[in-house]
Amino acid sequence: MGAGSGLGTAAGGSLLLCAALLAAGCALGLRLGRGRGAADRAALAWLCYDALVHGALEGSFVYLSFMGNIADSDSFIASLWKEYGKADARWVNFDPTIVSVEILTVVLDGSLALVLMYAIVTEKYYRPKRWQQRGAFPPPAHSELSHLDPGSGTRDTECTTMSLLLISQ
């Protein structure tokens, strides 16, 4: 390894910050997911990490962009964005397109992560169906595919229920 192959202070700090956000997101998600299935706990851990990244990293970018220029700021977060800006200068100087996309990401994606976390924790009906535990929610009494099953036997009902489960996923 050459002398220039080491990580700079900003790059190392960025990796440490992302690792800290990942650890905090996983810890919070697992705490919120106590007593739930593995899929719910994993989804909560990911959503907590996602909300933290959108709020802490991207939210700070939007804040720094509106309060001045990232290139002129001396904060730790600004140094992370300056490192990122080495690849694309639009991130260092106020670029309206980049800032508007980041605003949408912070507001919409961050809010969506919080809404999904709430839906999973409180077991709302609008929670993602893929993350529902099997057997936790009964199948609908009247299926959308009932016209395909003219019989009323148990086997036909089971086939309809299985078809609905496969279609909904």
Side-chain angles (χ1 to χ4, degrees):
M1 299 231 159
S5 65
L7 285 178
T9 308
S14 175
L15 289 174
L16 286 176
L17 179 62
C18 288
L21 289 175
L22 181 62
C26 286
L28 182 60
L30 293 176
R31 180 167 170 81
L32 289 172
R34 284 183 301 187
R36 290 178 171 70
D40 281 348
R41 287 193 312 270
L44 283 168
W46 173 255
L47 290 169
C48 287
Y49 173 67
D50 189 39
L52 286 172
V53 166
H54 288 307
L57 292 179
E58 294 170 343
S60 67
F61 172 79
V62 172
Y63 175 79
L64 288 172
S65 294
F66 280 119
M67 293 301 143
N69 197 346
I70 291 178
D72 298 333
S73 181
D74 294 329
S75 69
F76 173 71
I77 295 290
S79 68
L80 300 180
W81 286 110
K82 288 177 189 177
E83 186 72 22
Y84 195 76
K86 289 178 181 178
D88 189 351
R90 296 178 299 170
W91 292 89
V92 178
N93 301 311
F94 185 88
D95 182 80
T97 304
I98 298 293
V99 175
S100 63
V101 168
E102 285 300 319
I103 289 171
L104 289 173
T105 303
V106 169
V107 173
L108 295 179
D109 291 350
S111 299
L112 182 61
L114 294 175
V115 167
L116 289 175
M117 287 169 34
Y118 174 76
I120 292 171
V121 169
T122 59
E123 296 185 3
K124 293 293 184 185
Y125 68 93
Y126 54 84
R127 66 186 277 180
K129 294 193 184 319
R130 177 168 280 156
W131 297 334
Q132 292 175 357
Q133 296 174 358
R134 296 204 182 263
F137 295 88
H142 180 271
S143 72
E144 297 172 2
L145 301 176
S146 61
H147 63 280
L148 298 177
D149 290 331
S152 60
T154 306
R155 185 166 189 266
D156 293 333
T157 305
E158 289 175 1
C159 290
T160 302
T161 303
M162 290 302 293
S163 298
L164 284 175
L165 287 174
L166 292 173
I167 289 172
S168 68
Q169 294 179 3

